[in-house]
Amino acid sequence: MLDQLEMEARQRGLLLRLQVGRPLGLWSLRLVVARSQSERLQLLGEMKAWAYSGPRGLQLDTMRVLPAAPAGCGDLIWAATMAWAVEATPCRQARLLAIRDDERQHQRLVRYFRCRGFESVREVQAALWDLPLRMVWGGAGALMLGDCDQVRERALTRWRQSAAW
């Protein structure tokens, strides 16, 4: 699946690259989408994540898409990240935190992640038992869980539909 996504990206003039490390028995991932422009690469979007060995081990940290990115770039990032998790790790579920810095922005994040197949499982706040999660993600917010195959399929459908634009 990942090879197929790389080929589809190339057909649209995009580069899909993964940088994977294995520090301390974990996987670290930086996935980027870029475009070649005058012998330089223009970064269009990226996902940073890490995983531990287990079915719920994929932890999504940073996802961003720049305004100059073409339609479907975010969907390509989501599909490729989930394809990598399923192909290269034992992870079948992904976790992320919809940060609560500003209430309006938080609601936008929750809506965005729900559209991608994630569900809120609990709020991470200021309680002592929330401290480990706050240290991992750097804040409070909605802890969300998504099935890697489901998130990949939704993103894949949207990525392929964006080719029609």
Side-chain angles (χ1 to χ4, degrees):
M1 175 57 62
L2 203 47
D3 290 341
Q4 177 69 30
L5 285 169
E6 282 187 77
M7 186 181 71
E8 290 177 26
R10 201 172 325 114
Q11 289 170 347
R12 293 200 216 176
L14 302 174
L15 297 170
L16 173 65
R17 295 293 182 258
L18 286 80
Q19 181 180 20
V20 179
R22 283 302 306 259
L24 305 171
L26 300 172
W27 287 271
S28 66
L29 171 70
R30 181 171 185 235
L31 184 143
V32 299
V33 173
R35 177 175 29 215
S36 183
Q37 220 173 27
S38 308
E39 298 182 28
R40 295 181 57 206
L41 289 180
Q42 175 191 17
L43 180 68
L44 299 171
E46 69 179 331
M47 174 81 78
K48 293 179 184 174
W50 60 275
Y52 58 85
S53 197
R56 291 182 138 186
L58 182 60
Q59 314 297 308
L60 304 175
D61 185 38
T62 302
M63 195 285 190
R64 72 181 179 133
V65 177
L66 285 105
C73 185
D75 296 308
L76 173 60
I77 292 169
W78 282 108
T81 300
M82 296 303 139
W84 169 80
V86 170
E87 291 175 11
T89 76
C91 302
R92 296 302 169 258
Q93 290 185 320
R95 291 192 321 170
L96 57 79
L97 188 73
I99 295 287
R100 186 187 305 277
D101 289 336
D102 168 81
E103 191 57 38
R104 200 167 117 209
Q105 180 65 16
H106 172 71
Q107 291 304 320
R108 288 180 67 202
L109 285 173
V110 169
R111 212 172 26 255
Y112 174 83
F113 294 134
R114 280 195 177 131
C115 287
R116 266 116 200 102
F118 288 86
E119 289 297 324
S120 293
V121 291
R122 76 180 187 90
E123 287 294 317
V124 174
Q125 297 175 356
L128 184 59
W129 50 84
D130 288 336
L131 185 59
L133 292 173
R134 287 180 63 110
M135 290 177 66
V136 167
W137 278 293
L143 183 64
M144 302 184 81
L145 189 65
D147 178 81
C148 291
D149 286 321
Q150 182 185 48
V151 173
R152 185 192 72 223
E153 285 304 314
R154 283 186 184 194
L156 196 54
T157 299
R158 293 169 61 110
W159 159 247
R160 289 181 174 153
Q161 286 174 344
S162 73
W165 298 106

